Amino acid sequence: MAEAQDFTLKIRRFDPESGEQAHWQDFGVELDPDRSVLDGILQVKDREDASLAIRCSCRAAICGSCGVRINGKSALACNTRLSDAKQTAFNGAITVEPMGNMPVIKDLIVDMDAVHWKKIQRVVPWLLPEGEPPEREYIVPAEAMIDVTQSMACIQCGVCVSACLSLEVDPEFIGPAALAKAYRFVGDPRDDHTEERLRDLAEDPHGIYDCTHCFACIEVCPKDVAPMSQIMRLRRRATADFGIKDSNNGYGHEKGFVDIIEKWGTLHEAQLLPRSFGQGSAIRGQVAPDAVKQLLRDMPTALRGLRAGKITPKKALMHPKLPGQKNVRRIFEEVEGKKERLELNLYIVGDDGDQAEGAQAEGSGES
Ligand code: SF4
Ligand code: SF4
Ligand code: FES
């Protein structure tokens, strides 16, 4: 056990009953640097101010109740060592504040019902099988469940919700945790409403196409659920498997993007907009009345880009192909030539090389 050290915790205080504004308060704690930020907060509660409010239970990153922001980054307080937190501290003080994107009830406690749980309810978080239930349990092939293990690992801590940048801009966004939960049912072979679920999430203006791929949820999740990856899987199922052409232009944007990279090797911005509005087709994007309406609506943005020099008329009209672009096309052919889509579940560690080695070992009797 390491020797105890002094740490300063700068904690955000707020008590609605006091009538005071939220403010910062510094506390000194003395603890082994390997102990957690939660241990520090509990020492403050124990020795200095019993009114300090924090939710916690397991102290082992299991119950999901101690989500906070430490030095501005969303995390579980019980899963963050004081020594690690000190490294990113500002002026030596470890700041601890309530999670973002959720209303604060008191000090470090946020209203999970108002945001997180409401969004979880939104995605119908239970199985919807059809027909007569089997006499005994539903039998599911093990490999089918592997696909959903990653989203099943979620402990509903809300840390990803706190970190999500899209939610900050659009509080109605269904959000990373609820969409990861949605994949848990979309990927489950016992559920008989896959297409309806996907259509609903694709058509919702705050649904799967509201995520901006910022990776923040992947970075902060304490259980490696990788919510953004689950959202990408939902999109892939919606577009590639069910061909859902949504009114949010998600299908068109994805198809336009992929087709452009296949043809030019780099992103042709001037082509992307009409293709996105035209369900992937540049021609439809310029003649279909609904697409033209959307193009005209977005024209001021394009003009601002031209004025700022981000787009030049020459580049907009004659986009150059990437040198060696043939290699990009070869990658497309290779991927599209595969009989089955390769789904990467990050909970399953290893790659093709490992599989080949494993097969070799099996063949030679090694284990
Ligand atoms: S990747 Fe998407 S869901 Fe995840 S934090 Fe960013 S915007 Fe939110
Ligand atoms: S996805 Fe991760 S960060 Fe988000 S609620 Fe679940 S466990 Fe917490
Ligand atoms: S106290 Fe349970 S996750 Fe931190």
Side-chain angles (χ1 to χ4, degrees), residues 212-241:
T212 55
H213 300 189
C214 73
F215 280 79
C217 54
I218 294 191
E219 204 186 311
V220 299
C221 175
K223 293 292 165 188
D224 291 337
V225 171
M228 189 191 87
S229 305
Q230 312 311 328
I231 298 172
M232 295 308 118
R233 288 168 153 186
L234 288 169
R235 288 186 185 181
R236 211 173 304 134
R237 297 289 313 265
T239 54
D241 295 351

Side-chain angles (χ1 to χ4, degrees), residues 35 72 155 191 195 266 313 322 333 339:
R35 298 285 289 274
I155 55 170
D191 194 276
E195 187 170 354
T266 59
L322 185 76
E333 281 161 13
K339 277 202 199 104

Side-chain angles (χ1 to χ4, degrees), residues 140-155:
V140 182
E143 55 276 17
M145 294 317 285
I146 288 173
D147 186 41
V148 292
T149 46
Q150 199 169 12
S151 37
M152 283 166 75
C154 175
I155 55 170

